[in-house]
Amino acid sequence: MELKIGKTIKELRTERGITMAELADALSVTPQSVSRWESGTSYPDIEMLPRIADYFSVSLDKLMLDSDEITIKRLVAELAKVRSSLDGDASRRQKKEMELLKQLSQLDPRQYITHYFACLKAFNNSYRIYDAELDRLRREIPKVLSSIENVRERTRKLSNVIFAEDEDKLYIWKSVLPSLADDMATWEEMMFWRYGKVLHDKDGWRKQQEENAYLQIRKLITTLADNIPEKHENCRSVDRCVLLPLPPLVNMLAAKQILDTFSRDVKDAFLWLRLCIEIQLAGAYCREGQYDAMHQSLVQLKEHVEIAYALREGGMTLYASHPVLASVKEENVSRYLLINALYYIDIEIERPEFDAVREDKSFTEFCKYIRAYIKELN
């Protein structure tokens, strides 16, 4: 808290028409001491403060604090009084507490805005300030926290908000966490404390664990599938997309094995990744001249496309709140992802790796089958 003693002494002295020499004489100090107080280069001794306050007939708070700081001190005292009140009317206490917290958050947002948000979320819905106020705080809190230099303090305040936030609004704080919090404060750790220690919500914790597992598995699989050779020879451009060579067959087999290990139910959130991996695996088989394995992979891919088509009106298992799925605002999320997967397969069919089987009857039938599905869905 910044001391305002010198500024206040000067204001009180000039208001009363008192010179520095007169004030110095009354307090038994030199005029130079008074000058240094008022310029802020030094402060009065602590024993001198009551004498100065008595001389001007003001309180010590008035002498040492500015008007906002005095108001903050008063509001904090009132807030403590309300919280310790034995008043049996809980709704009246909550309304009063909200009013005080709102005033505090406006006077000193760095100190009270996140506390205000958490308290609002803790109140019974019937006594909450309207959603517009909560949305305002969601916009303001990142700005306020970014002005706090101490990273631990920022992290602590942000965690209080995350612990109190609604389930469907958590994505807001996930996006700002890296820029505001300590490097050690991962989203997984935040979710552990939110569900395990604060909310005691086992279902919520399990859901977060599933989501984290999904992201890690997907990252591992896509890393294997994206590990292409350094030399990009025989590349082909299809629909403005450049098809780079496939990674080694062993990578695609490993990606497929990981997928089969962790995806026990084909009707889950891995289905769309499965369709993309299987067409690449078929291409890798074809490039190696393993045409029987390629045909078998295409048959399996066709079966999974049919499963995806049956799910186009919904019915996916595993947490539907996963960011990839939740980010699609359409009602029919499954249909949206199926169309994208089919377009991906249609592009992959044009790979140079499939040139050797371009006239193969079963391959051409597979191509017609995929394009017929795309046409029907459009």
Side-chain angles (χ1 to χ4, degrees), residues 144-180:
V144 171
L145 293 185
S146 63
S147 68
I148 299 176
E149 294 182 3
N150 189 308
V151 67
R152 290 189 177 181
E153 184 182 355
R154 286 203 310 266
T155 304
R156 178 177 58 80
K157 290 182 179 296
L158 180 58
S159 65
N160 289 336
V161 173
I162 292 172
F163 298 159
E165 183 59 279
D166 293 331
E167 190 81 21
D168 61 346
K169 299 291 185 181
L170 285 174
Y171 71 91
I172 297 172
W173 309 109
K174 186 174 184 179
S175 64
V176 301
L177 180 71
S179 61
L180 292 177

Side-chain angles (χ1 to χ4, degrees), residues 47-59:
E47 297 85 0
M48 181 65 68
L49 296 178
R51 292 179 59 189
I52 299 173
D54 288 342
Y55 179 81
F56 289 114
S57 301
V58 297
S59 66

Side-chain angles (χ1 to χ4, degrees), residues 2 40-41 55 70 103 109 125 133 135 140 237 269 276 358:
E2 185 180 353
T41 56
Y55 179 81
I70 293 172
Q103 293 179 57
N125 284 335
E133 174 68 0
D135 288 338
E140 290 298 318
S237 180
C276 298
R358 191 70 58 194

Side-chain angles (χ1 to χ4, degrees), residues 260-311:
D260 291 338
T261 300
F262 290 99
S263 176
R264 305 297 178 86
D265 182 358
V266 177
K267 301 177 183 179
D268 64 17
F270 287 101
L271 179 56
W272 319 108
L273 179 60
R274 180 184 294 280
L275 298 180
C276 298
I277 292 297
E278 284 176 345
I279 185 61
Q280 287 185 284
L281 178 60
Y285 275 132
C286 187
R287 182 189 58 203
E288 298 295 328
Q290 300 184 33
Y291 301 120
D292 289 341
M294 179 208 71
H295 284 300
Q296 185 178 355
S297 184
L298 291 178
V299 168
Q300 193 174 42
L301 174 57
K302 184 177 178 181
E303 292 175 357
H304 293 153
V305 168
E306 290 172 349
I307 290 172
Y309 185 79
L311 290 174

Side-chain angles (χ1 to χ4, degrees), residues 47 96 130 179 209 218 229 280 294 298 318 333-334 351:
E47 297 85 0
K96 182 62 177 176
Y130 297 113
S179 61
Q209 290 294 83
R218 192 183 70 173
Q280 287 185 284
M294 179 208 71
L298 291 178
L318 207 65
V333 174
S334 298
R351 277 190 170 279

Side-chain angles (χ1 to χ4, degrees), residues 48-324:
M48 181 65 68
L49 296 178
R51 292 179 59 189
I52 299 173
D54 288 342
Y55 179 81
F56 289 114
S57 301
V58 297
S59 66
L60 284 173
D61 279 350
K62 171 68 175 176
L63 182 65
M64 299 177 67
L65 307 175
D66 64 16
S67 58
D68 281 353
E69 290 169 334
I70 293 172
T71 304
I72 289 170
K73 187 173 181 180
R74 175 182 59 78
L75 290 172
V76 169
E78 288 185 31
L79 189 60
K81 185 177 179 181
V82 169
R83 287 176 172 171
S84 62
S85 172
L86 299 178
D87 186 349
D89 190 339
S91 65
R92 185 163 58 223
R93 290 202 311 272
Q94 288 182 338
K95 287 179 181 179
K96 182 62 177 176
E97 187 174 351
M98 281 198 304
E99 291 171 4
L100 294 171
L101 282 168
K102 185 173 184 179
Q103 293 179 57
L104 280 168
S105 71
Q106 292 170 340
L107 284 170
D108 191 356
R110 287 171 48 147
Q111 188 68 20
Y112 294 103
I113 193 169
T114 57
H115 186 57
Y116 173 43
F117 179 88
C119 286
L120 287 184
K121 300 298 296 181
F123 289 149
N124 184 290
N125 284 335
S126 58
Y127 304 114
R128 274 193 190 176
I129 287 183
Y130 297 113
D131 288 343
E133 174 68 0
L134 292 169
D135 288 338
R136 181 188 72 81
L137 291 172
R138 290 184 182 106
R139 292 191 298 271
E140 290 298 318
I141 286 173
K143 300 175 187 175
V144 171
L145 293 185
S146 63
S147 68
I148 299 176
E149 294 182 3
N150 189 308
V151 67
R152 290 189 177 181
E153 184 182 355
R154 286 203 310 266
T155 304
R156 178 177 58 80
K157 290 182 179 296
L158 180 58
S159 65
N160 289 336
V161 173
I162 292 172
F163 298 159
E165 183 59 279
D166 293 331
E167 190 81 21
D168 61 346
K169 299 291 185 181
L170 285 174
Y171 71 91
I172 297 172
W173 309 109
K174 186 174 184 179
S175 64
V176 301
L177 180 71
S179 61
L180 292 177
D182 191 321
D183 291 341
M184 300 299 290
T186 63
W187 185 252
E188 290 77 12
E189 183 183 11
M190 287 288 186
M191 292 301 98
F192 171 78
W193 283 98
R194 171 185 164 86
Y195 292 107
K197 300 295 185 180
V198 179
L199 302 181
H200 304 288
D201 181 356
K202 292 181 180 179
D203 290 338
W205 173 236
R206 183 170 61 250
K207 179 179 175 182
Q208 288 296 323
Q209 290 294 83
E210 288 176 347
E211 181 173 335
N212 293 335
Y214 173 82
L215 291 172
Q216 293 302 319
I217 296 166
R218 192 183 70 173
K219 182 179 179 181
L220 176 58
I221 292 171
T222 52
T223 299
L224 288 168
D226 290 341
N227 185 14
I228 59 176
E230 291 184 8
K231 292 184 179 180
H232 299 163
E233 298 175 356
N234 300 322
C235 297
R236 181 175 295 173
S237 180
V238 179
D239 292 341
R240 297 180 299 279
C241 297
V242 177
L243 297 175
L244 297 176
L246 289 168
L249 177 60
V250 65
N251 281 36
M252 299 312 304
L253 289 172
K256 180 69 162 52
Q257 184 178 10
I258 293 170
L259 197 58
D260 291 338
T261 300
F262 290 99
S263 176
R264 305 297 178 86
D265 182 358
V266 177
K267 301 177 183 179
D268 64 17
F270 287 101
L271 179 56
W272 319 108
L273 179 60
R274 180 184 294 280
L275 298 180
C276 298
I277 292 297
E278 284 176 345
I279 185 61
Q280 287 185 284
L281 178 60
Y285 275 132
C286 187
R287 182 189 58 203
E288 298 295 328
Q290 300 184 33
Y291 301 120
D292 289 341
M294 179 208 71
H295 284 300
Q296 185 178 355
S297 184
L298 291 178
V299 168
Q300 193 174 42
L301 174 57
K302 184 177 178 181
E303 292 175 357
H304 293 153
V305 168
E306 290 172 349
I307 290 172
Y309 185 79
L311 290 174
R312 70 190 188 282
E313 303 301 334
M316 294 185 67
T317 59
L318 207 65
Y319 44 89
S321 65
H322 183 270
V324 173

